[in-house]
Amino acid sequence: MFGLEALELARIQFAFTISFHIIFPAITIGLASYLAVLEGLWLKTRREVYRDLYHFWLKIFAVNFGMGVVSGIVMAYQFGTNWSAYSEFAGSVTGPLLTYEVLTAFFLEAGFLGVMLFGWNRVGPGLHFFATLMVALGTLISTFWILASNSWMHTPQGHEIIDGVVVPVDWLAIIFNPSFPYRLAHMAVAAFLATAFFVGASAAWHLLRGNDNPGIRKMLSMAMWMALLVAPVQAVIGDFHGLNTLEHQPAKIAAIEGHWDNSSGEPTPLLLFGWPDMEAEQTRYKLEIPYLGSLILKHSLSEPIPALKDFPPEDRPNSTIVFWSFRIMVGLGLLMIATGLWSLVLRRGDRLYQSRPFLRLAVLMGPSGLLAILAGWFTTEIGRQPWVVYGVMRTADAVSDHGAGQLGLTLAMFVLVYFAVFGVGMLYVLRLVAKGPVPFEGRSTGVGGYGQQRTPLRPISAADENLEHEQGDHLGERN
């Protein structure tokens, strides 16, 4: 297919499906915690604005949760269909880690999700709040195990290789491998920021359309406080993550920096822009700042960072891709910090909800958190190449024995089905957002049968809005 080999098609297929999948858990992680905060504030203050916002975002959470579960199942199957050699080699590590996720996070979420989605009028407020907290905790526990498994692939520890197969010898070393704490913190905070900018963009869109009420204002205010306080923290976490990567995956850092040669022994500049040419072994059209690369990564004005020519050509990641994916991630992060600072300036003049230039920026920044997550995952996963388990197993040795025709056909089917199914799901989410929060009137608890009012049995049933009608009244003026 298009001259690509089976290995390349398998990698593209996995990258495509995981890129779709990561969007939904990222929003789910952030929204679950946001819902817990909203319900806690409702219980503490009894201000109806928090209750109404809770029920508005609960519907969007339900749709994202359902799509995340479906897309995640596909990811699990690919370990057996496309990467069976890897599963045979390292399944003794990744299999138990994913099982621990199911036994802890998934069962916890499944146990309390129904109460959270459908129990507002069926259980007491304390139990309902507890259910919301447990679902939020479940999303974070799920992140813990997924990042433990993936981080082990980057910095493998706690195992031996016996008869060509990985054998676990120290589970604490496997789970808490050297890159795990930094990658867990980086991903969790990224999910919170992605959700904050999604919420903030939703509010800004309504304000630009004249839907100005306490609920919309509260959405924007909470989102911008999150951006102001957490985006700089994410930058600090990213710096620590970079230092850890320099220690354990120096070739990835060299590729990210587009740095080729240390023969001069001079300190390394920071390349702001350029085009790394893998064949010519140089970065063309570069714009650089002297010394800054060494200062950031070595905290030194004299010591150079590793260069790509320090590694054999077959061990080098594709610098052309990770150079730019990393800069997209960092650039979006800087825009997040700037947006948070601008919101603080506008608060001082009581112009946060009236400044149309700022509101337009907030709308444009809506997908920025998700785009930054995708760029970050491209950087870390492509930067790990040519290894599937860094320094232990090459990606070329991990792929299943399929032909390019088979993988090309299934890739094309994935593209068609994913855009049809998840495209409709994301469109539905956007239409829910466009409807906006309305006063929560409560629901009857009738159970009935076919043709009668019923108790919903699946997560997406919680978003039972009829969006074919005209947009209803928005959240009224209330505190």
Side-chain angles (χ1 to χ4, degrees):
M1 181 179 183
F2 303 114
L4 297 174
E5 298 179 354
L7 172 61
E8 296 168 315
L9 289 168
R11 290 181 59 193
I12 292 172
Q13 186 178 121
F14 197 85
F16 174 79
T17 52
I18 199 172
S19 295
F20 256 92
H21 171 66
I22 195 62
I23 292 172
F24 307 121
I27 293 297
T28 300
I29 293 166
L31 277 184
S33 295
Y34 181 49
L35 289 169
V37 171
L38 288 173
E39 187 168 7
L41 290 172
W42 152 248
L43 291 174
K44 181 179 180 180
T45 67
R46 292 296 173 176
R47 292 177 59 187
E48 294 179 353
V49 65
Y50 293 121
R51 180 203 62 189
D52 296 337
L53 287 178
Y54 176 90
H55 288 283
F56 171 65
W57 286 106
L58 184 67
K59 301 170 188 176
I60 297 166
F61 170 85
V63 178
N64 275 277
F65 187 91
M67 292 192 291
V69 170
V70 173
S71 59
I73 293 174
V74 175
M75 299 302 307
Y77 275 115
Q78 284 194 66
F79 283 112
T81 57
N82 292 1
W83 303 99
S84 57
Y86 167 75
S87 297
E88 182 179 358
F89 175 75
S92 58
V93 169
T94 56
L97 291 178
L98 296 180
T99 301
Y100 298 153
E101 184 213 1
V102 173
L103 293 176
T104 56
F106 195 76
F107 281 6
L108 184 66
E109 292 171 309
F112 289 98
L113 184 65
V115 178
M116 175 186 176
L117 295 181
F118 311 120
W120 186 268
N121 291 327
R122 293 175 171 87
V123 300
L127 177 56
H128 191 274
F129 181 49
F130 181 75
T132 303
L133 290 175
M134 290 301 100
V135 171
L137 178 62
T139 63
L140 294 173
I141 294 175
S142 179
T143 309
F144 177 96
W145 290 115
I146 294 298
L147 266 295
S149 177
N150 184 261
S151 297
W152 179 83
M153 298 168 69
H154 287 264
T155 52
Q157 301 284 324
H159 69 277
E160 294 180 357
I161 298 178
I162 301 176
D163 297 329
V165 174
V166 170
V167 177
V169 296
D170 186 345
W171 277 105
L172 288 179
I174 289 172
I175 296 170
F176 298 99
N177 58 79
S179 65
F180 169 67
Y182 305 98
R183 302 184 74 245
L184 175 63
H186 203 47
M187 180 61 205
V189 173
F192 293 148
L193 281 173
T195 303
F197 278 94
F198 178 42
V199 171
S202 304
W205 184 83
H206 281 284
L207 288 170
L208 286 170
R209 291 171 58 87
N211 302 326
D212 188 352
N213 57 62
I216 300 296
R217 289 192 172 205
K218 184 62 66 176
M219 285 164 52
L220 182 64
S221 179
M222 295 178 75
M224 290 303 106
W225 279 124
M226 176 66 77
L228 177 67
L229 300 175
V230 178
V233 173
Q234 179 72 318
V236 174
I237 295 172
D239 180 63
F240 281 110
H241 187 193
L243 297 176
N244 177 265
T245 304
L246 176 63
E247 179 182 357
H248 296 280
Q249 294 176 298
K252 180 189 291 186
I253 290 295
I256 288 172
E257 297 300 319
H259 182 52
W260 286 93
D261 193 359
N262 276 335
S263 59
S264 65
E266 296 179 354
T268 306
L270 176 67
L271 273 63
L272 296 178
F273 303 104
W275 189 262
D277 188 327
M278 297 300 293
E279 293 185 3
E281 296 187 339
Q282 62 175 304
T283 299
R284 304 180 185 275
Y285 320 116
K286 57 187 178 183
L287 175 63
E288 61 185 32
I289 301 177
Y291 299 98
L292 192 55
S294 292
L295 183 61
I296 292 175
L297 287 163
K298 288 286 190 176
H299 296 171
S300 167
L301 290 174
S302 59
E303 188 175 355
I305 66 172
L308 280 166
K309 288 185 178 180
D310 295 342
F311 308 93
E314 64 272 16
D315 290 345
R316 298 172 187 169
N318 190 318
S319 180
T320 309
I321 298 177
V322 300
F323 181 90
W324 280 103
S325 61
F326 178 79
R327 277 151 183 78
I328 291 172
M329 178 186 69
V330 172
L332 290 171
L334 292 175
L335 282 174
M336 293 178 194
I337 294 174
T339 303
L341 290 173
W342 192 4
S343 73
L344 181 64
V345 172
L346 292 175
R347 284 181 196 274
R348 295 175 63 87
D350 197 23
R351 293 177 290 121
L352 179 63
Y353 312 108
Q354 290 82 30
S355 173
R356 297 187 72 82
F358 173 78
L359 294 176
R360 292 190 185 98
L361 174 64
V363 171
L364 292 175
M365 289 294 290
S368 63
L370 295 174
L371 293 175
I373 288 174
L374 288 173
W377 275 100
F378 289 160
T379 300
T380 195
E381 297 303 306
I382 296 174
R384 185 184 62 204
Q385 301 302 319
W387 305 97
V388 66
V389 181
Y390 195 79
V392 176
M393 185 186 197
R394 290 184 178 270
T395 307
D397 299 326
V399 68
S400 301
D401 187 18
H402 295 317
Q406 294 170 304
L407 285 163
L409 176 62
T410 55
L411 174 59
M413 293 175 63
F414 269 120
V415 171
L416 292 174
V417 171
Y418 268 54
F419 275 106
V421 174
F422 297 117
V424 170
M426 287 188 282
L427 179 62
Y428 183 53
V429 167
L430 293 177
R431 294 183 70 182
L432 284 171
V433 170
K435 184 173 183 181
V438 296
F440 177 72
E441 302 297 341
R443 297 177 183 174
S444 172
T445 59
V447 292
Y450 290 120
Q452 303 180 41
Q453 187 169 0
R454 59 182 174 77
T455 301
L457 298 176
R458 58 193 186 278
I460 296 180
S461 299
D464 58 354
E465 300 295 326
N466 184 355
L467 297 178
E468 295 180 358
H469 293 86
E470 294 295 326
Q471 180 173 322
D473 294 335
H474 289 271
L475 185 61
E477 295 290 339
R478 57 180 66 205
N479 287 317

